[in-house]
Amino acid sequence: MYTFDSRIRYSETDSQGKLTMASLINYFQDCSTFQSEDLGLGVEKLKEMHLVWVLSSWQIVVERYPALGEKVAVGTLPYGLKGFLGYRNFCMMDREGAYLARANSLWSLLDTRTNKPSAIPQNMMEGYRLEEKLEMEYAPRRIALPPDGVPREPVVVKRHHLDTNHHVNNQQFIDIAMDYLPEGFAIRQVRAEYKKQAFLGDVLTPRVFEAPDCVCVTLENREGDLCMAAEFAGAG
């Protein structure tokens, strides 16, 4: 497993002094980026190859949110490469090696010239050493939405939502969706399914679905296409 050590910063915490879900996702995203950079398969190399990895789905399960100043280790491992798809686990551990959070993710490799799936090239197949996937309760990738979603005020995509691929970053999608959770909602698990990219100036309409044990939020573009669906399960 590829890992790096860190310490929870004040800027990464909520009003209770605990790591936020948004910051946890950023740690995971940074970890896989660091691994790719160290293997010579990072952002600039992908640009040269006219390729980009796009996240298709997340499942993130939290055991405990670490507190301000706590030392942690963040890890990632690829466990499957097939066709244009990459399967990758993530985790965050405390100083004793106990899991604070675990995640599963599915990624699609796209050709930036055509925006269509591209077979994983040989240098990536050789560069990413596949490992045994983490032990966790794996949930389905597809999210079944409860009935009767309530539309909310549209959100305009701003520059701070974008990443180096010039589309809305996966964490930013979830951050937008979390604005519609009830106050004090403690997230135990997030599942997110990404359907369509969004770009600067796009208008996203949130739709909120509430169920007894979870809250789902979808984000649709002006044409009514689903960009992302997220399911937030509570801690209780």
Side-chain angles (χ1 to χ4, degrees):
M1 181 186 297
Y2 179 92
T3 63
F4 76 93
D5 295 325
S6 190
R7 189 178 183 189
I8 304 303
R9 301 164 177 82
Y10 182 79
S11 59
E12 299 167 340
T13 59
D14 59 17
S15 60
Q16 305 300 312
K18 299 294 182 66
L19 183 72
T20 66
M21 175 57 71
S23 295
L24 176 62
I25 293 172
N26 282 335
Y27 267 117
F28 288 164
Q29 185 169 248
D30 288 343
C31 190
S32 58
T33 301
F34 290 160
Q35 183 186 35
S36 295
E37 293 292 334
D38 289 353
L39 291 172
L41 296 169
V43 173
E44 291 305 316
K45 184 62 176 180
L46 286 174
K47 284 182 180 179
E48 291 176 16
M49 299 172 69
H50 304 287
L51 296 172
V52 62
W53 284 107
V54 176
L55 186 63
S56 297
S57 67
W58 265 128
Q59 180 197 0
I60 303 169
V61 181
V62 178
E63 301 295 334
R64 178 176 69 83
Y65 289 95
L68 170 65
E70 192 168 342
K71 293 181 179 179
V72 296
V74 185
T76 187
L77 61 89
Y79 67 85
L81 294 170
K82 185 178 181 180
F84 61 89
L85 298 175
Y87 300 81
R88 181 180 282 275
N89 282 141
F90 295 85
C91 66
M92 178 177 280
M93 297 168 284
D94 65 15
R95 294 176 69 178
E96 285 71 45
Y99 286 113
L100 297 168
R102 280 172 274 201
N104 185 41
S105 63
L106 175 63
W107 302 75
S108 298
L109 188 65
L110 301 184
D111 187 318
T112 56
R113 295 165 296 190
T114 64
N115 206 36
K116 293 182 178 180
S118 174
I120 298 171
Q122 190 62 32
N123 64 333
M124 287 188 183
M125 299 292 284
E126 295 172 355
Y128 291 113
R129 184 171 64 87
L130 301 185
E131 302 183 47
E132 290 294 322
K133 64 182 182 179
L134 293 180
E135 289 188 14
M136 60 180 287
E137 189 174 336
Y138 288 83
R141 183 168 66 88
R142 301 287 183 186
I143 294 174
L145 296 171
D148 304 323
V150 179
R152 300 293 183 90
E153 189 72 21
V155 176
V156 179
V157 174
K158 304 292 187 182
R159 288 189 180 88
H160 71 268
H161 294 123
L162 309 180
D163 58 23
T164 57
N165 298 314
H166 307 293
H167 61 208
V168 176
N169 183 264
N170 71 84
Q171 180 271 328
Q172 290 287 339
F173 268 125
I174 293 179
D175 215 25
I176 292 170
M178 287 194 301
D179 280 341
Y180 303 96
L181 295 177
E183 186 174 354
F185 189 92
I187 304 170
R188 181 189 62 82
Q189 176 177 271
V190 175
R191 289 196 300 143
E193 189 177 356
Y194 299 89
K195 292 289 194 179
K196 195 173 183 67
Q197 298 177 63
F199 302 92
L200 182 65
D202 283 354
V203 178
L204 302 175
T205 299
R207 195 176 296 271
V208 181
F209 306 77
E210 295 197 26
D213 55 349
C214 70
V215 176
C216 295
V217 180
T218 61
L219 296 172
E220 302 174 357
N221 63 19
R222 279 187 218 225
E223 290 73 37
D225 299 321
L226 180 64
C227 293
M228 187 210 68
E231 177 195 78
F232 302 93

